[in-house]
Amino acid sequence: MSTVILTVPPQGFDSTNPAGLEYTNAVPKLLFDDTTSEIVYWMLRLPSDFSSAPVLKVQYTMASATSGTFGVSVSIMAVTDGDAADVDTESYDTANSPTASTVPGTAGHLDEISVTLTNADSMVAGDLVFFKLARNVAGDTATGDAEVRAVSLEYTAS
Amino acid sequence: MQDTKKVQSLINAAAVAIEEARKLEAIRTKYIAASPSVTGTPLQGKLTLLNKFLGDLDTLLNSEAANLLVDNKVASHRGKAL
């Protein structure tokens, strides 16, 4: 199993509905509203040892909720060297939206969501890959902000 | 159908209104201490009516329901579910 870190803060914020960015104790966290679907982006060259089974790990806390669920939606766009595709034209695969997870019973306590990237736009080693992360506000029930602390991609290496 | 976010939007909206209305209590206290004459003002002859209104409002603003709403306001919920 190999891991790629997707940093917080991310490389990009949606121009219309960006997730918030806040610092606590000088450390950043992303704030995802409970009603408006807010979005952030990453882009990277998929490592040469990527083989299969990509899973996005999302570590989060809740700002105040102690009940209900938190869910995310992850979309992938992969472009291969030589593809007849304008990289600046968005063409994301179907979103991966796992069932929302029950939040910790205490606000501020850490939980982790695993998002199996079933729809990964057929990404292969060496691809330029775009990741779009949004809160699944229609599919979760916890009120108030979700605070995303860390994101990483795990996969089976060749 | 359960929709916790719509419920929270109502709670937050009501809590904000209650918190704003509670500021009237401090103003009323200052008014009573100042004890100004109401002669020639819209309150002339209406003090009994006014006092009943403010008393009833004070009771409502400090009721179990009001405290429940204020205590359960979620700061990071932006009230957009309704």
Side-chain angles (χ1 to χ4, degrees), chain A residues 1-148:
Chain A
M1 186 67 66
S2 292
T3 302
V4 175
I5 305 297
L6 278 61
T7 59
V8 173
Q11 292 159 304
F13 291 84
D14 189 74
S15 59
T16 305
N17 292 310
L21 177 65
E22 189 173 278
Y23 288 78
T24 300
N25 301 324
V27 175
K29 57 188 176 183
L30 295 170
L31 305 179
F32 286 86
D33 186 61
D34 62 4
T35 309
T36 302
S37 183
E38 296 172 335
I39 307 169
V40 295
Y41 300 85
W42 291 270
M43 177 189 69
L44 53 81
R45 182 185 185 278
L46 204 58
S48 300
D49 68 346
F50 173 83
S51 176
S52 63
V55 176
L56 202 73
K57 301 286 191 179
V58 180
Q59 293 189 320
Y60 74 97
T61 56
M62 297 305 296
S64 56
T66 57
S67 63
T69 60
F70 169 59
V72 296
S73 179
V74 181
S75 305
I76 304 294
M77 171 175 147
V79 183
T80 304
D81 175 25
D83 272 356
D86 184 346
V87 174
D88 289 329
T89 299
E90 285 191 333
S91 178
Y92 284 89
D93 201 345
T94 303
N96 302 279
S97 305
T99 301
S101 297
T102 299
V103 305
T106 303
H109 284 200
L110 188 71
D111 188 30
E112 181 174 277
I113 290 177
S114 291
V115 184
T116 300
L117 299 178
T118 305
N119 308 310
D121 206 24
S122 304
M123 65 183 183
V124 296
D127 277 358
L128 179 66
V129 180
F130 298 79
F131 296 82
K132 180 164 73 172
L133 173 68
R135 179 171 177 175
N136 186 0
V137 296
D140 72 15
T141 62
T143 56
D145 283 347
E147 304 167 325
V148 170

Side-chain angles (χ1 to χ4, degrees), chain A residues 34 67-69 140-143, chain B residues 1-11 77 81:
Chain A
D34 62 4
S67 63
T69 60
D140 72 15
T141 62
T143 56
Chain B
M1 178 185 79
Q2 184 189 39
D3 193 326
T4 54
K5 296 174 188 179
K6 286 186 168 62
V7 173
Q8 193 61 54
S9 285
L10 174 67
I11 291 172
H77 178 79

